[in-house]
Amino acid sequence: MANDNLDIKEFHWLMDMLQTIDVGLIVLDRDFKVQVWNNFMENHSGINPITVKDQVLFEVFEDIPKDWFTQKAESVFLLKNRAFITWELRPYLFKFKNYRPITGTEEFMYQNINISPLASADGTVNHVCVIIYDVTDIASNKKALESANRELESLSRTDRLTMLNNRGYWEECLQNEYSRLQRYDTTSSLVMFDIDHFKKVNDTYGHQAGDEVIRTVSKILRDSLRKTDIAGRYGGEEFGIILGHTSAENAFIFCERLRKTIEETTVVHDNISIQFTVSLGICEASKKLDDYKQWLEKTDQALYQCKENGRNQTRIFDLSTL
């Protein structure tokens, strides 16, 4: 009798611990009917244990993917081994609100899930225990870190003055584009251009005015690009553009539109109006080119032809000369 009283006392404190523990705890039978539903689950779902007792889990929570969860649980019943589901594989099993909405940044609670077999005295497993861990802080911190890393990566690739790709990253893209063209029979054109007589702008109006001219050209360029085009500041007042799936003839149309827009633009700095022009060289990709550096070199030669012929114009490199 004394032992029976002791067992009952132990049972009570054991149940009290399971009810008040700060994780979700559910026991399901083979038909996925709820047998145990602790306070954590009640507090976050708003459904009390009496209401959910003997109810099929998927009928109470219709947003739980039945096939996916059944497959996970059936393996636990069959193999008698635990199954784990992390928030990185699936953010949550139960879509509970994040209970730190003021300090937290997440809309809902991220959860890690542990499904354990519950063996009877004869070793058979007719119930599983599902434990829900709130890992919102961990998920939020990791997402914030990943976001910061992406921002740092973007900054490391970006030229601060123009907000275009910097030379290192742009040249890396050019190399990748050249490699891609060696594998696939597609067309692509490279454009190099610079601001005519830029030194005269700096010498006449000062470097601040020169920077404003470069910023203006960059903005016009960014507004002219398609999503697939890749532009970068090559150095000083020189820019490069990779026009994927574009012939030299179509690149010429793009360049002339860009050139005329810049020609019609006026930069006002310290109440002084500054007008300027650009010259653009084009070279279409060809298997005659040894590597991306030669592609760049031939595009530069087209740009120099513009300079020699009076500037403010577009020229295409003649591939037949290779």
Side-chain angles (χ1 to χ4, degrees):
M1 186 65 184
N3 287 337
D4 290 344
N5 289 336
L6 183 61
D7 289 344
I8 290 172
K9 289 178 181 177
E10 290 179 346
F11 177 76
H12 276 291
W13 67 250
L14 181 61
M15 288 303 297
D16 187 53
M17 180 185 70
L18 296 178
Q19 284 296 333
T20 57
I21 193 170
D22 195 26
V23 297
L25 189 148
I26 314 158
V27 174
L28 301 172
D29 66 14
R30 279 235 174 227
D31 296 322
F32 295 95
K33 290 181 177 177
V34 177
Q35 302 303 304
V36 173
W37 187 258
N38 76 344
N39 286 348
F40 179 98
M41 297 303 295
E42 180 180 359
N43 293 338
H44 289 286
S45 69
I47 301 174
N48 63 49
I50 296 173
T51 302
V52 78
K53 180 78 166 66
D54 289 328
Q55 298 296 310
V56 177
L57 183 69
F58 310 116
E59 293 177 357
V60 181
F61 296 92
E62 295 180 349
D63 57 341
I64 293 178
K66 181 178 178 180
D67 291 343
W68 171 79
F69 185 76
T70 300
Q71 185 181 16
K72 293 285 183 184
E74 287 295 351
S75 70
V76 177
F77 280 119
L78 180 65
L79 303 175
K80 302 178 182 179
N81 288 329
R82 291 180 179 180
F84 301 95
I85 306 160
T86 69
W87 67 271
E88 288 159 308
L89 296 174
R90 186 176 182 81
Y92 55 83
L93 182 60
F94 297 91
K95 192 173 184 180
F96 295 155
K97 287 184 179 178
N98 177 17
Y99 65 89
R100 287 182 288 258
I102 296 177
T103 57
T105 57
E106 307 300 333
E107 178 190 355
F108 53 81
M109 176 195 294
Y110 284 83
Q111 300 163 0
N112 280 349
I113 313 296
N114 182 347
I115 308 174
S116 299
L118 298 178
S120 302
D122 60 358
T124 58
V125 174
N126 292 314
H127 295 81
V128 293
C129 175
V130 182
I131 300 177
I132 315 292
Y133 297 93
D134 178 2
V135 291
T136 306
D137 286 345
I138 295 172
S140 181
N141 291 339
K142 183 170 183 180
K143 287 172 66 180
L145 180 61
E146 289 174 345
S147 176
N149 285 336
R150 282 194 299 271
E151 183 70 19
L152 284 173
E153 186 179 5
S154 175
L155 287 172
S156 72
R157 295 172 171 178
T158 305
D159 177 75
R160 289 189 179 184
L161 180 64
T162 63
M163 301 309 293
L164 294 169
N165 295 308
N166 61 26
R167 176 173 174 168
Y169 179 65
W170 181 81
E171 200 161 337
E172 189 180 312
C173 292
L174 178 63
Q175 191 170 1
N176 291 338
E177 179 69 2
Y178 180 83
S179 299
R180 189 182 69 82
L181 292 168
Q182 301 311 302
R183 290 196 299 274
Y184 306 106
D185 189 20
T186 60
T187 305
S188 188
S189 290
L190 177 61
V191 176
M192 297 298 293
F193 77 95
D194 67 10
I195 301 168
D196 296 326
H197 301 297
F198 183 71
K199 186 176 183 302
K200 186 177 177 182
V201 173
N202 271 340
D203 292 344
T204 305
Y205 306 109
H207 290 282
Q208 295 292 329
D211 285 351
E212 191 57 40
V213 167
I214 289 176
R215 271 194 291 266
T216 301
V217 169
S218 305
K219 183 177 185 311
I220 294 171
L221 174 57
R222 290 200 305 273
D223 293 343
S224 306
L225 296 172
R226 303 168 299 185
K227 286 185 178 178
T228 52
D229 300 335
I230 304 172
R233 185 185 183 195
Y234 195 67
E237 74 282 14
E238 191 173 9
F239 302 83
I241 315 167
I242 304 165
L243 299 173
H245 302 285
T246 306
S247 65
E249 289 73 21
N250 288 332
F252 185 85
I253 295 170
F254 168 86
C255 288
E256 279 296 282
R257 187 164 57 237
L258 179 64
R259 183 185 65 78
K260 290 175 182 175
T261 303
I262 291 173
E263 186 181 26
E264 294 165 358
T265 299
T266 300
V267 169
V268 178
H269 182 77
D270 285 344
N271 296 319
I272 299 172
S273 296
I274 306 169
Q275 286 194 291
F276 48 93
T277 59
V278 295
S279 298
L280 305 98
I282 301 168
C283 181
E284 185 175 311
S286 167
K287 293 192 181 299
K288 294 179 180 177
L289 298 167
D290 293 334
D291 52 30
Y292 83 94
K293 291 181 179 176
Q294 193 181 23
W295 191 14
L296 191 59
E297 178 191 329
K298 299 307 177 189
T299 311
D300 262 340
Q301 286 183 15
L303 174 59
Y304 293 144
Q305 287 176 7
C306 296
K307 302 294 184 184
E308 291 172 355
N309 286 280
R311 295 181 171 83
N312 190 23
Q313 57 188 271
T314 303
R315 292 275 175 159
I316 299 175
F317 179 80
D318 184 0
L319 289 170
S320 67
T321 61
L322 289 176

